Amino acid sequence: GGVYATVAVGLTIVYGVMKMVNFANGEFVMFGMYFTYLLYNITGWTCYALIPFLVILMSVFGYLVYKLVIERVVGRDSTTYIMVTVGLSYFLLNLAQIIFSATPVSVPSDIKTSSLSLGAYSMSLPRLIAFLAATVLIFVVWLFMQKSSMGRAMRATAEKPEVAQMLGINTKVAFTVAFVLSVVLAGLAGLLLTPIYTIYPSVGSVLKTTALMIVVLGGMGSIPGALVGGLLVGV
């Protein structure tokens, strides 16, 4: 549920700021998993130690996708957004299949089969870590949106882009940060899933559908709503 919420928060930020439903979000989760796999093969480190490197990689990846694809359709109608992001979804899925092949791979982890006993119940340790990390991550993003000047600029842009521009806010920067932040969150969700799931090109498809349900359930554009919706769907 925590991981679902992390994916959904990225979706809800993009919708809140840009009024765009990103149908390629599941593929960003998938690339986050593959980047974690590549970083593990290069360094040999546990996936949790790779978080700073993955944030940098996903930021660059998200920025390139925004500049090459999304920026060209900003401000268009919702139908254009749907067509572009669905097309981007299929492109990224096939790109992953060309680069990594369709053979499932996994990131080895010492805690993959570990569990924590709580009386009569036992809980998978990777799932517990994923939940705790995702909850902390969502809280940090919420703080960023509420307290930072960029977060306030993004919220103002979400309210009324034209008025925000008149007040001196660079809405282009706000759109860019919102999209890149959503891609980074999707990538981190992918990293947290690597000790739990095997990695293959279409792994993000299920998460994409689930995240869209959560965003609708929690209220479009609401970060706390995405967290609660994620937990409800997870349970």
Side-chain angles (χ1 to χ4, degrees), residues 45-96:
W45 297 354
T46 179
C47 62
Y48 306 115
L50 297 172
I51 288 176
F53 302 102
L54 185 77
V55 168
I56 295 168
L57 266 178
M58 292 305 295
S59 298
V60 173
F61 185 46
Y63 182 77
L64 289 173
V65 171
Y66 180 82
K67 283 294 179 184
L68 293 172
V69 182
I70 305 300
E71 190 177 48
R72 300 169 188 273
V73 295
V74 168
R76 303 279 184 89
D77 58 281
S78 56
T79 306
T80 304
Y81 280 146
I82 291 169
M83 290 173 67
V84 168
T85 55
V86 168
L88 179 63
S89 168
Y90 281 107
F91 173 78
L92 292 176
L93 193 153
N94 284 280
L95 180 66

Side-chain angles (χ1 to χ4, degrees), residues 109-137:
S109 173
D110 295 334
I111 65 164
K112 186 166 279 194
T113 55
S114 302
S115 61
L116 186 70
S117 295
L118 300 168
Y121 302 96
S122 66
M123 188 178 291
S124 163
L125 194 56
R127 289 179 185 273
L128 180 61
I129 292 171
F131 164 71
L132 294 174
T135 306
V136 170
L137 195 59

Side-chain angles (χ1 to χ4, degrees), residues 2 22 28 32 50 54 57 74 77 88-90 96 104 110 130 134 139 141 147 174 176 179-180 184 190 208 212:
N22 182 9
F28 290 122
L50 297 172
L54 185 77
L57 266 178
V74 168
D77 58 281
L88 179 63
S89 168
Y90 281 107
D110 295 334
F139 180 67
V141 171
K147 304 297 182 184
T176 307
F179 186 82
V180 171
V184 170
K208 174 168 52 184
L212 286 169

Side-chain angles (χ1 to χ4, degrees), residues 10 23 29 47 66 69 83 86 93 104 107 130 140 153 156 166 171 176 179 205 223 231:
F23 284 93
V29 175
C47 62
Y66 180 82
V69 182
M83 290 173 67
V86 168
L93 193 153
V107 177
V140 169
M166 287 167 60
T171 53
T176 307
F179 186 82
S205 300
I223 292 177
L231 295 179

Side-chain angles (χ1 to χ4, degrees), residues 147-212:
K147 304 297 182 184
S148 72
S149 56
M150 177 52 69
R152 286 195 291 271
M154 287 164 67
R155 286 190 290 125
T157 303
E159 286 289 327
K160 208 77 173 169
E162 298 85 1
V163 177
Q165 249 179 336
M166 287 167 60
L167 295 172
I169 292 171
N170 191 333
T171 53
K172 287 184 178 179
V173 172
F175 289 149
T176 307
V177 172
F179 186 82
V180 171
L181 181 59
S182 77
V183 171
V184 170
L185 287 171
L188 287 171
L191 179 143
L192 294 173
L193 288 171
T194 52
I196 304 168
Y197 293 112
T198 53
I199 309 165
Y200 50 94
S202 59
V203 69
S205 300
V206 175
L207 287 167
K208 174 168 52 184
T209 309
T210 308
L212 286 169

Side-chain angles (χ1 to χ4, degrees), residues 8 11-12 21 210-221 225-226 229:
L11 266 180
T12 209
V21 178
T210 308
L212 286 169
M213 288 193 297
I214 290 165
V215 170
V216 174
L217 183 66
M220 304 291 273

